[in-house]
Amino acid sequence: MTGTVKSRRTGFSARQLELDPLIDDPATRIVVCCGSGGVGKTTTAAALGLRAAERGRDVVVLTIDPARRLAQSMGLTELDNTPRRVGGVDETKGGSLHAMMLDMKRTFDEIVEQHADRERARQILENPFYQSLSSSFAGTQEYMAMEKLGQLHGGGDWDLIVVDTPPSRSALDFLDAPQRLGSFLDGRLIRILSAPAKVGGRGALKFLSAGMGLMTGALNKVVGAHLLTDIQTFVAALDTTFGGFRKRADATYKLLQAPGTAFLVVAAPEKDALREAAYFVERLDAESMPLAGLVLNRVHGTGAGQLSAERSMAAAETLYERAYDEDTYDEDTYDDEEPAGDAPSADDLRLVAGLLTLHAERLRMIGREERVRTRFTSIHPDVPVVEVPALPGDVHDLDGLRSIGGHLA
């Protein structure tokens, strides 16, 4: 694997991102790994958490990835909404590692139970509209990720929280979702819909204007009487906690902007992934979020860069032709003379030609990666970059995470 780290660096002069000083600094309390789907955010978060723990930090890794890769790589049978201690971690420097996977609905339930009395909490949890909202409403997962982050930070049990952000089609949805959900729950439409339930159910209709009655009747036809009633009942029961959603979202948002938080944008050396990474960088800057740098995953390299793709392909073509000649050669032309014993066979020639072809394809891939990487760094020259080489297989245990952590450092 050492050989994969060596590669040509034509035009690539990004600042080097050094992560050990970041995770060693006790002032660093939150590291957020963000990026588009499938670029290795979960593995990066886990590897960074393990390295920080073995360097003396008390770490919890919060993942929102529905896949079970993190649990498997950490030797855990499962991950849930409760932080679980990871075994096999070197704790000689006083650190520890816990991991958890966000349970969106359970987190929402906990908020209700925490901020409402027992009877009101029961009404909310049993409400059909709440059950739909807490499990499938757009933005709920991202909002609950922010809620859980706020809870972990406020609990004070860990001095470093590593967050693996939700896989989202739109970059940084987890920053927008709290405001969207808070605006929805605090919105004027919900307030209007809840008015009859808040002031006394059907009797309250006496106090509503004729216009409000007409609107409610129209909404009954559009969304259905049962859904409208569920919404009204839900909002009335939740009224005592209404301000809390927006308040907590604002507090967590400010926490993400504060000193002690660091964002890592994770990407692969591919055109689409780096285009998305550029958007992340620009959006974080616009939101005044502290960007530490870019983690470039699965970078390909070669230890034989002196042999160009063109020369490699030319040699491969020559060997394929020789192999063809060997296959079709008429032995009678030898005049019963035995061929040299050390002459390569046709199969040997094809094998070497195949290896040369693979080498040429690898160099072409490296060239493509260098071009898109150089384009990113030319647009964002101030963003430090650390590279993680492409590995021959998936990371599935702590040793694999340690290897990734070593490259991150």
Side-chain angles (χ1 to χ4, degrees):
M1 187 173 67
T2 304
T4 64
V5 183
K6 300 176 182 177
S7 102
R8 298 170 301 168
R9 289 290 182 267
T10 54
F12 183 55
S13 57
R15 292 169 51 202
Q16 181 68 24
L17 173 62
E18 297 182 1
L19 288 176
D20 276 353
L22 178 72
I23 61 177
D24 288 346
D25 186 352
T28 304
R29 302 296 306 279
I30 298 171
V31 175
V32 182
C33 298
C34 56
S36 55
V39 295
K41 290 196 308 293
T42 299
T43 301
T44 299
L48 200 62
L50 175 61
R51 187 167 183 84
E54 296 190 330
R55 294 174 69 87
R57 304 295 299 272
D58 289 315
V59 185
V60 60
V61 177
L62 167 63
T63 183
I64 297 91
D65 188 354
R68 301 289 174 173
R69 293 190 304 273
L70 180 60
Q72 294 169 354
S73 64
M74 291 185 169
L76 299 173
T77 56
E78 62 177 344
L79 285 178
D80 54 25
N81 217 41
T82 302
R84 296 177 180 271
R85 195 179 193 103
V86 178
V89 176
D90 182 358
E91 300 181 352
T92 56
K93 294 185 179 180
S96 66
L97 179 62
H98 288 72
M100 62 179 296
M101 185 170 69
L102 179 75
D103 184 327
M104 177 177 67
K105 187 177 188 311
R106 182 61 228 155
T107 301
F108 211 151
D109 291 350
E110 290 172 356
I111 295 169
V112 172
E113 292 165 352
Q114 182 179 357
H115 295 279
D117 59 57
R118 181 175 298 179
E119 178 57 27
R120 184 152 298 190
R122 183 191 63 79
Q123 293 174 6
I124 295 172
L125 296 176
E126 293 178 356
N127 185 276
F129 177 73
Y130 167 78
Q131 292 173 1
S132 176
L133 175 74
S134 61
S135 59
S136 59
F137 186 80
T140 303
Q141 184 185 50
E142 288 83 0
Y143 178 88
M144 290 307 142
M146 297 279 276
E147 280 278 356
K148 184 56 69 174
L149 173 59
Q151 292 175 12
L152 293 172
H153 183 267
D157 294 325
W158 297 275
D159 58 27
L160 179 62
I161 303 167
V162 181
V163 183
D164 166 33
T165 57
S168 303
R169 290 186 63 188
S170 176
L172 298 181
D173 271 356
F174 73 101
L175 291 180
D176 296 327
Q179 183 176 5
R180 289 203 308 271
L181 185 60
S183 298
F184 170 75
L185 293 174
D186 284 336
R188 181 178 298 177
L189 177 60
I190 293 295
R191 291 293 189 179
I192 292 173
L193 292 175
S194 67
K198 288 184 187 177
V199 294
R202 294 188 179 184
L205 293 176
K206 298 176 183 178
F207 303 100
L208 298 177
S209 65
M212 176 62 194
L214 288 172
M215 190 194 78
T216 304
L219 284 170
N220 268 326
K221 294 178 181 178
V222 174
V223 304
H226 290 298
L227 177 58
L228 188 58
T229 301
D230 289 340
I231 295 173
Q232 291 171 342
T233 304
F234 164 71
V235 177
L238 198 63
D239 189 51
T240 56
T241 67
F242 246 130
F245 283 94
R246 181 73 64 91
K247 183 178 179 180
R248 288 191 303 278
D250 289 344
T252 305
Y253 194 85
K254 291 177 180 177
L255 177 64
L256 292 176
Q257 294 175 315
T261 298
F263 281 81
L264 291 175
V265 176
V266 184
E270 300 166 0
K271 185 176 180 180
D272 291 342
L274 280 172
R275 183 188 297 119
E276 193 79 357
Y279 178 86
F280 274 67
V281 168
E282 293 161 7
R283 175 68 191 281
L284 287 168
D285 180 65
E287 300 286 342
S288 300
M289 299 290 177
L291 173 65
L294 172 73
V295 175
L296 201 58
N297 266 333
R298 303 167 189 157
V299 176
H300 292 87
T302 178
Q306 68 276 13
L307 179 59
S308 68
E310 292 75 16
R311 289 179 59 194
S312 184
M313 284 303 300
E317 290 175 5
T318 298
L319 291 176
Y320 277 128
E321 290 175 359
R322 285 185 57 187
Y324 176 79
D325 290 341
E326 289 289 334
D327 286 335
T328 58
Y329 193 71
D330 186 351
E331 293 184 358
D332 290 340
T333 62
Y334 280 117
D335 296 326
D336 297 327
E337 180 181 343
E338 291 291 333
D342 57 353
S345 67
D347 288 340
D348 291 336
L349 294 170
R350 276 190 287 268
L351 175 61
V352 176
L355 292 174
L356 288 168
T357 302
L358 288 175
H359 175 69
E361 292 172 352
R362 167 63 70 94
L363 289 178
R364 288 167 180 165
M365 179 185 296
I366 292 171
R368 289 193 299 270
E369 291 180 357
E370 287 183 351
R371 287 191 291 274
V372 296
R373 184 172 46 199
T374 301
R375 176 175 173 78
F376 175 89
T377 56
S378 66
I379 298 173
H380 301 284
D382 295 329
V383 177
V385 180
V386 62
E387 295 183 9
V388 177
L391 301 179
D394 291 334
V395 175
H396 59 273
D397 56 18
L398 290 180
D399 286 338
L401 291 177
R402 287 190 185 96
S403 176
I404 295 293
H407 291 296
L408 289 171

